[in-house]
Amino acid sequence: MDRETTDADLGRTYPTGDEGDASDGGCPCSATGDAMAGGRPSIYQDFYGDCRAEMERRDYAKALATIGGLTAVGSLTAPLLSLTQVFEREYTGPIYSDGVALVDDAGERIQEGRLSAGEQLTVFPEPRPGLADSPTLLVRFEEGEYGGDTNLEYTVGGYAAYSKVCTHAGCMVADRDGTTMVCPCHSGRFDPLSGAAVTGGPPPRKLPQLPITLSSEGHLVATADFEGTIGPGGE
């Protein structure tokens, strides 16, 4: 046999000339004439010289992609961690401050025409809506209807805002009886036209009022925090 040598043990034949060159359509890892030794290719030499190098290049690329992914995830960690503080019940900072927008439960800012006279809406401070003390009752009446303990400097365009947290046991003041706001837990009653003064039930004091105004963009914003202590306790 002039052109090929038979390997009796493996039952295979190996080319002994140029037929093994990868450019002829053979395996890119097959032996070339330079890799021949004693009529047979050095399969270990070709494997480490070609296939392993290709595998190492692919593994290296995968490693870079993995590292890049981990770096991207890591870059999000700090912002996410920074948000946890404003959702903790133990948060003791201000609920509102000057310029903080009032938003609804979908995060939409409250434009001046959002409510009609006699309507109310639960709103939240835009930067920290998840705080336990953040729910706020926004009401709108004719400006001339407000009196009593209402701080008129805290109202704007017929809007007034009060804490929604009952000063008796901390329940949410969620019901209405005419114009009166009612707490469903123990029937505490508050008059929004008189500064949310107590008109019935066990609450010891009125709901704190929030000073509000209109921004230059036409949406409601706070000018400071609530005027008093939120929920039970305080004076």
Side-chain angles (χ1 to χ4, degrees):
M1 300 172 62
D2 296 332
R3 303 294 297 162
E4 56 184 29
T5 301
T6 301
D7 187 326
D9 295 330
L10 298 178
R12 297 179 179 177
T13 61
Y14 298 91
T16 57
D18 296 333
E19 292 83 353
D21 187 69
S23 62
D24 293 336
C27 172
C29 296
S30 62
T32 63
D34 293 338
M36 295 298 181
R40 296 181 182 178
S42 174
I43 60 174
Y44 300 105
Q45 178 178 341
D46 285 343
F47 177 80
Y48 285 104
D50 296 323
C51 293
R52 190 183 67 170
E54 179 65 22
M55 292 171 65
E56 288 179 345
R57 286 194 293 271
R58 292 176 182 175
D59 291 342
Y60 182 68
K62 291 179 181 179
L64 287 179
T66 300
I67 293 172
L70 292 175
T71 302
V73 172
S75 67
L76 296 175
T77 303
L80 291 176
L81 289 176
S82 68
L83 291 176
T84 60
Q85 293 298 320
V86 300
F87 290 99
E88 291 179 355
R89 295 183 64 87
E90 294 80 7
Y91 174 83
T92 56
I95 305 301
Y96 289 90
S97 56
D98 188 19
V100 169
L102 280 62
V103 297
D104 61 19
D105 58 3
E108 297 293 328
R109 292 180 172 181
I110 309 303
Q111 301 297 319
E112 183 178 9
R114 178 69 178 269
L115 298 183
S116 300
E119 294 182 335
Q120 72 179 44
L121 178 70
T122 300
V123 296
F124 309 87
E126 187 173 42
R128 49 187 73 90
L131 291 177
D133 292 338
S134 70
T136 306
L137 282 169
L138 181 68
V139 298
R140 191 176 195 184
F141 295 96
E142 297 295 334
E143 292 185 4
E145 295 184 73
Y146 290 103
D149 293 335
T150 306
N151 189 331
L152 297 178
E153 294 183 355
Y154 289 0
T155 67
V156 62
Y159 284 100
Y162 304 99
S163 171
K164 190 173 181 176
V165 184
C166 183
T167 54
H168 173 236
C171 298
M172 294 294 113
V173 180
D175 298 337
R176 279 277 294 270
D177 181 9
T179 60
T180 301
M181 301 184 298
V182 182
C183 179
C185 291
H186 305 97
S187 299
R189 301 171 69 85
F190 305 89
D191 183 3
L193 296 173
S194 186
V198 179
T199 60
R205 56 187 175 86
K206 66 179 185 177
L207 299 174
Q209 188 174 352
L210 178 72
I212 58 174
T213 191
L214 280 173
S215 71
S216 59
E217 291 82 17
H219 60 268
L220 294 174
V221 297
T223 60
D225 204 359
F226 288 104
E227 63 177 349
T229 303
I230 298 171
E235 297 181 356

